[in-house]
Amino acid sequence: MTQREVDAVARMLPDERGQRAYDWLYVIARASATQYEQLVASYLDHEEDPMLARLALQTLCTFWGFADRYTDQLERFLGEVEWDHLGDVRLIAISASGEYLRGNVHSGLLRRLLELADHNGDSTMQPRFALEAVARALDDPTLAEVKGRENRYAAVRERGWARLVAEEESRGRDR
């Protein structure tokens, strides 16, 4: 797409709803039209259509790499948001948080991921996704050597909690 076409989509997007709004938001996302960051961010609280909020969060944090600017929103979406009925926004927040934590320190995000991962009785896929996000955050190649899924998950939990304790202790010393 040309820049002129992307600009036209951005001008029309606020007036659209449903699938067309999603499609046009996706066009902006994949066109890497980062000059429209504020427009995309305006969809983070799109209660009427959580899939738009999901795409906005994914665009800002994953596609465009702006997670450092949206850690408050990531942390909020890791919790329960009343209008995210199917947990779609939360799943993106889980994934984006794990990627962000690979090269960054944020005790709040890490704690929330670990808490989600510890909900073994949860019938959704969220605990497993949270564990995988913690594994990505740890970026520890030796985890791949741990035999058996349950053993690997136990190792991820243990190392994740150890990292959190170390980060919080370090933060306490830095004050």
Side-chain angles (χ1 to χ4, degrees), residues 3 5 7 16 40 49 54 62 65 80 89 93 100 106 108-109 122 127 131-132 135-136 154 156-157 159-160 172:
Q3 185 59 50
E5 291 168 325
D7 292 342
E16 293 298 333
V40 173
D49 190 344
R54 175 190 159 279
T62 304
E80 292 203 28
V89 183
Y100 174 74
H106 192 292
L109 289 176
D122 190 326
L131 270 171
E132 292 299 329
R136 280 194 308 280
V156 168
R157 279 188 185 89
R159 293 176 195 182

Side-chain angles (χ1 to χ4, degrees), residues 5-152:
E5 291 168 325
V6 172
D7 292 342
V9 166
R11 279 192 305 277
M12 294 183 288
L13 176 58
D15 297 326
E16 293 298 333
R17 300 287 176 262
Q19 186 63 46
R20 180 165 281 177
Y22 186 91
D23 291 345
W24 286 355
L25 185 58
Y26 189 78
V27 165
I28 291 169
R30 297 315 273 179
S32 298
T34 58
Q35 69 272 27
Y36 294 111
E37 178 181 354
Q38 292 309 310
L39 174 62
V40 173
S42 73
Y43 285 89
L44 288 172
D45 287 308
H46 207 279
E47 296 180 22
E48 304 83 47
D49 190 344
M51 293 306 284
L52 287 172
R54 175 190 159 279
L55 180 57
L57 189 66
Q58 184 176 31
T59 298
L60 295 165
C61 297
T62 304
F63 297 160
W64 293 354
F66 295 162
D68 58 324
R69 300 179 196 175
Y70 294 93
T71 56
D72 289 346
Q73 288 83 354
L74 285 171
E75 199 165 5
R76 181 170 62 99
F77 286 124
L78 287 175
E80 292 203 28
V81 177
E82 180 180 310
W83 48 266
D84 185 23
H85 304 292
L86 299 177
D88 293 314
V89 183
R90 181 185 258 184
L91 289 176
I92 291 299
I94 289 169
S95 178
S97 294
E99 288 300 317
Y100 174 74
L101 290 170
R102 283 179 93 164
N104 298 281
V105 172
H106 192 292
S107 299
L109 289 176
L110 182 55
R111 176 175 295 284
R112 193 66 190 116
L113 283 176
L114 287 163
E115 289 168 351
L116 285 170
D118 282 343
H119 286 133
N120 293 331
D122 190 326
S123 62
T124 69
M125 299 298 285
Q126 291 174 3
R128 186 174 63 86
F129 288 150
L131 270 171
E132 292 299 329
V134 171
R136 280 194 308 280
L138 294 171
D139 197 22
D140 182 350
T142 65
L143 286 171
E145 298 168 13
V146 177
K147 301 292 185 221
R149 185 175 65 184
E150 291 307 315
N151 291 336
R152 181 172 182 270

